[in-house]
Amino acid sequence: MAYVVSALWRANEGEEERIAGIVEEMTGPSRAEPGNLVYQAHRSLDDPRVFYLYEQYVDEAAARAHSESDHFQRLVLGEAVPRLESRERALYETFPPDA
């Protein structure tokens, strides 16, 4: 069973390209984290200000380590969040348990 983080970001008007750059910068270091199974960003075809992030971790502790990492603190909290109109997050686990 994997721990899943689903995030939906909507960039402020005029900030969408910087958010895209931040997402690109986050991808490599996030995928390299020892507890990361999947880190995949998506951008809406209908609205270039909307980004969807899908992440899987081996467990909740690995997801917490991600949110405490230097790259998350600097890029997401320090740079992305102030440029977002909205930020939603949902937590899941893969199902069935042996998936």
Side-chain angles (χ1 to χ4, degrees):
M1 183 166 19
Y3 189 84
V4 177
V5 178
S6 172
L8 186 63
W9 293 0
R10 182 174 179 81
N12 287 326
E13 188 75 40
E15 295 287 357
E16 54 272 20
E17 293 312 314
R18 180 60 193 130
I19 294 298
I22 291 167
V23 169
E24 285 185 38
E25 287 180 67
M26 281 293 297
T27 299
S30 298
R31 288 180 177 170
E33 293 169 8
N36 180 269
L37 299 172
V38 176
Y39 188 92
Q40 184 60 57
H42 308 79
R43 191 171 189 178
S44 172
L45 295 173
D46 296 325
D47 185 346
R49 292 173 53 203
V50 175
F51 297 83
Y52 173 69
L53 299 135
Y54 179 81
E55 308 165 32
Q56 280 190 11
Y57 299 91
V58 294
D59 56 22
E60 184 179 359
R64 190 171 39 256
H66 167 70
S67 66
E68 294 170 354
S69 69
D70 289 339
H71 52 275
F72 184 93
Q73 294 289 316
R74 180 174 50 83
L75 292 168
V76 174
L77 298 182
E79 292 194 44
V81 169
R83 292 176 167 86
L84 297 178
E85 180 178 298
S86 63
R87 178 181 178 221
E88 299 173 33
R89 191 175 82 143
L91 306 173
Y92 300 89
E93 60 185 15
T94 54
F95 186 82
D98 61 349

